[in-house]
Amino acid sequence: MTNAMSPELVQAFENEQIAKAQRDTRIGAIIASILFSLFGLLDPFVYPEHLSELLTIRGGVVVASLAIFALSFTTPGKQHSRVLGMILYLVSTLSIVMMVHLTEGYLSPYYAGINLALIVFVAILPLDGLRAGIICAITYAAYIIPIIVMGNVDDVAILLNNNFFFLSTIVLVVLSSHFATRLRFKEFAARYNLAQANEELKTLDKLKSDFFANVSHEVRTPLTSILAPLQAFHSGDFGEITEEQEKIVAQMYRNSLKLLDMINQMLDFSRFEAGKAQLRLSSVDLHEFVDDTVSLFQEVAQQKGVELRSITEPGVPEIFLDRDKLERVLTNLLRNAIKFTEEGSITVRTGLVEDGSQESGQRVFMEVEDTGIGIPEDHVPHIMERFRQVDSSSTRRYEGTGLGLTIVNESVNFMHGIVRVWSEESVGSLFRVELPTNLEELVPEAFRERRKRERRRSVTPESIRERRRRTRRTEDFVQVAADELALMEKEMLGADGNHSQEESGLHSSDEPRGPAENEDRILL
């Protein structure tokens, strides 16, 4: 059975059987104590003349069973639990053999108790076929040898009858133990192999995450080097360029930012999955933060014909949060809301959670509500899962990595908050983020920034060309700031709120038309 199996599997099975034998021996000891005491009620009626001897034997079995029960909790008892089980088995069967020989020998009705004990212990204290065979052999020898030695057999038919049923019981017990052990081994092997496969999957998943993070990091390094000269061209540092060149540079710059943002999302996801994300707490005025971020996306919403407004409730204190993660949360929610809202409004609200209990501490909320396409009811419980998209077809209308909401959920959870979602298809969606006001107390080991960051200036409507001249990546070249995300979204939108004509290869003055005479066109 085990020759073709690995030594590790066999050893693991042995360890489990030892642990199982500990529990079974304790249960068997308790049951043996109870049953031998209860069956003692028959002694005064069946053999009153041997009552004291029978009660002494039963009392000895109870004491021995309790002693085995106590020994099973000791270190040697745990190591040799199957030996204790065999001793308990033999104490029970041999005590009944003693009662048989004490009374009428092979004619004693207590003979049936031997068969009963063997069968009961197969169920209570299952052993392998070899150990069960040893117990049965010792028990049968203790039964038949005194009968043969004494030779007082007056009724051969009864002796043969009893031996036939006794040996039949032994065969059944040994076979049952053998096949039950094989079944237990097969069941354990299936569990063991499944556990090994799960561990291998976890290892592969970790290797995938590490590879994901390393590749993303290596790709981001040259990309940031590309962005620096692109920004210089985009900002006019190398002098005036033609309008056509400016469009090409703007498209390159925008797509580079878009690629950098996607890489950053993958890196964020990898950090969360690998447990390497860190909290960097700084004092945040939530009202000011939300107002500034919303103002950056006003132009994007206006260009799409959607009303974007911010509503702040009074009483929200300045609290410690991870500003970068909070910015990632709000910008992802805003970009999603703008992407999936063709008409109507988007409302961002902030305030105190009214039902916040004093035990868990006060909480603030930040919610983004839109009148967009909504989410099908069966998709709502799964939208926070990684790579999950409502439309996962290859021809889906809205592009993305499927990591945005996963990062939102992971970021909020990392700040000991919670994300709630309400949505109705064709009506709209509401994403509510609740965060504690005492995060610095909940995570005292988190890094805390003492210097307050400079407040952004609210975005005022102006031409893209002028904003390009002003936007500078001076702080962190590997991050995409919220104003750059807003600019990227705005330039990707056309005048009608769809993806820009520039991306599709058509300028604003061009109209789709058929090929002119003697002219071939290929549309990609």
Side-chain angles (χ1 to χ4, degrees):
M1 176 179 63
T2 60
N3 290 339
M5 301 299 176
S6 66
E8 294 82 6
L9 173 60
V10 175
Q11 185 59 49
F13 178 69
E14 286 294 309
N15 294 337
E16 183 179 83
Q17 292 305 295
I18 292 172
K20 185 178 184 301
Q22 294 174 18
R23 298 188 299 270
D24 293 342
T25 300
R26 293 166 190 168
I27 295 172
I30 294 172
I31 292 177
S33 302
I34 295 173
L35 291 181
F36 269 86
S37 300
L38 288 176
F39 278 101
L41 298 174
L42 296 175
D43 296 337
F45 301 99
V46 181
Y47 293 109
E49 67 276 14
H50 297 293
L51 182 59
S52 59
E53 295 93 332
L54 294 174
L55 290 179
T56 300
I57 294 173
R58 293 184 186 278
V61 173
V62 172
V63 172
S65 298
L66 294 178
I68 291 172
F69 179 82
L71 284 173
S72 68
F73 289 94
T74 64
T75 301
K78 291 177 181 178
Q79 293 175 347
H80 304 286
S81 57
R82 284 183 292 188
V83 174
L84 279 181
M86 292 179 68
I87 293 173
L88 176 64
Y89 215 138
L90 287 171
V91 166
S92 301
T93 55
L94 293 179
S95 64
I96 302 176
V97 171
M98 290 176 62
M99 294 180 187
V100 167
H101 292 305
L102 179 66
T103 53
E104 295 182 77
Y106 70 94
L107 295 174
S108 174
Y110 283 164
Y111 145 81
I114 304 175
N115 292 339
L116 181 63
L118 291 174
I119 293 172
V120 169
F121 270 95
V122 166
I124 297 173
L125 186 60
L127 300 172
D128 58 80
L130 176 62
R131 289 180 173 85
I134 292 173
I135 291 170
C136 290
I138 294 173
T139 303
Y140 182 72
Y143 170 77
I144 197 65
I145 289 175
I147 295 175
I148 294 174
V149 170
M150 294 176 66
N152 296 327
V153 180
D154 298 328
D155 196 331
V156 177
I158 293 178
L159 176 63
L160 292 177
N161 178 77
N162 290 351
N163 272 271
F164 173 79
F165 283 103
F166 197 169
L167 291 173
S168 298
T169 301
I170 288 175
V171 171
L172 290 175
V173 167
V174 173
L175 290 177
S176 297
S177 299
H178 173 71
F179 288 113
T181 302
R182 290 192 62 176
L183 288 175
R184 288 198 303 273
F185 182 82
K186 288 181 179 180
E187 185 268 337
F188 175 81
R191 286 189 286 111
Y192 180 85
N193 292 332
L194 181 61
Q196 291 293 104
N198 286 336
E199 287 300 319
E200 291 176 4
L201 286 175
K202 288 180 182 178
T203 303
L204 290 174
D205 192 54
K206 185 179 183 304
L207 290 173
K208 178 266 299 177
S209 297
D210 292 341
F211 174 78
F212 205 24
N214 291 336
V215 169
S216 299
H217 179 75
E218 294 301 324
V219 170
R220 189 173 66 171
T221 301
L223 181 59
T224 53
S225 300
I226 294 171
L227 269 170
L230 273 178
Q231 182 192 18
F233 277 109
H234 194 241
S235 303
D237 291 350
F238 298 124
E240 293 295 327
I241 56 178
T242 66
E243 185 176 351
E244 192 67 28
Q245 290 172 334
E246 186 175 341
K247 288 180 180 179
I248 295 174
V249 172
Q251 186 178 5
M252 292 170 62
Y253 183 59
R254 182 183 69 244
N255 288 333
S256 297
L257 287 177
K258 183 178 177 182
L259 179 58
L260 181 59
D261 180 54
M262 293 172 66
I263 292 173
N264 286 341
Q265 288 197 50
M266 290 188 286
L267 278 173
D268 287 343
F269 167 74
S270 298
R271 290 193 192 99
F272 283 122
E273 195 175 48
K276 296 180 180 179
Q278 295 180 338
L279 274 179
R280 298 181 64 89
L281 302 182
S282 60
S283 182
V284 176
D285 184 325
L286 195 60
H287 286 169
E288 179 183 297
F289 173 84
V290 171
D291 285 343
D292 284 350
T293 305
V294 169
S295 66
L296 293 172
F297 287 86
Q298 282 291 355
E299 256 190 296
V300 187
Q302 288 174 7
Q303 184 167 339
K304 199 171 181 182
V306 176
E307 180 185 2
L308 176 60
R309 56 178 180 265
S310 174
I311 299 175
T312 56
E313 298 178 3
V316 179
E318 192 164 317
I319 57 178
F320 277 93
L321 294 170
D322 190 314
R323 183 181 291 267
D324 290 333
K325 290 179 175 57
L326 187 63
E327 184 175 87
R328 174 68 78 180
V329 168
L330 184 54
T331 54
N332 272 344
L333 292 179
L334 277 173
R335 292 169 70 187
N336 271 1
I338 293 172
K339 182 192 298 183
F340 296 108
T341 304
E342 300 299 333
E343 60 182 13
S345 63
I346 299 171
T347 304
V348 183
R349 295 185 184 88
T350 52
L352 285 171
V353 179
E354 295 180 359
D355 58 347
S357 63
Q358 295 298 322
E359 295 180 0
S360 58
Q362 202 172 34
R363 301 171 76 84
V364 295
F365 73 85
M366 178 179 69
E367 62 184 28
V368 178
E369 182 177 13
D370 64 64
T371 59
I373 62 175
I375 304 168
E377 184 179 354
D378 58 329
H379 284 272
V380 172
H382 307 288
I383 58 173
M384 297 295 177
E385 297 175 6
R386 58 183 179 177
F387 309 120
R388 172 73 68 158
Q389 292 176 322
V390 174
D391 180 9
S392 58
S393 66
S394 60
T395 59
R396 64 181 186 267
R397 177 180 178 185
Y398 303 101
E399 59 186 13
T401 61
L403 289 175
L405 290 178
T406 303
I407 293 172
V408 167
N409 191 48
E410 293 289 347
S411 299
V412 173
N413 288 341
F414 202 61
M415 291 188 285
H416 290 252
I418 187 172
V419 181
R420 306 181 191 275
V421 184
W422 295 271
S423 186
E424 184 176 349
E425 199 169 3
S426 303
V427 174
S429 304
L430 187 149
F431 287 81
R432 180 184 175 101
V433 174
E434 296 181 7
L435 297 167
T437 58
N438 60 337
L439 187 56
E440 73 280 6
E441 297 174 6
L442 297 175
V443 193
E445 69 277 9
F447 177 80
R448 189 180 302 184
E449 294 181 358
R450 298 296 178 181
R451 181 176 61 88
K452 287 187 67 175
R453 298 192 186 182
E454 182 182 354
R455 180 181 177 181
R456 287 196 196 93
R457 292 180 299 170
S458 296
V459 178
T460 57
E462 55 184 313
S463 69
I464 295 176
R465 187 181 183 90
E466 290 303 316
R467 283 188 59 189
R468 275 203 304 269
R469 302 295 187 192
R470 193 188 67 209
T471 303
R472 305 293 297 177
R473 298 173 56 76
T474 56
E475 293 184 1
D476 189 350
F477 278 84
V478 299
Q479 298 297 330
V480 182
D483 53 352
E484 291 177 320
L485 292 173
L487 179 62
M488 182 175 68
E489 294 289 339
K490 184 180 187 304
E491 292 192 3
M492 287 176 64
L493 290 174
D496 60 352
N498 296 322
H499 289 289
S500 67
Q501 294 176 341
E502 177 185 327
E503 275 199 334
S504 65
L506 299 173
H507 298 297
S508 57
S509 60
D510 295 331
E511 293 293 335
R513 56 187 175 87
E517 189 176 354
N518 298 326
E519 183 180 11
D520 293 328
R521 288 183 180 272
I522 299 176
L523 175 63
L524 295 181

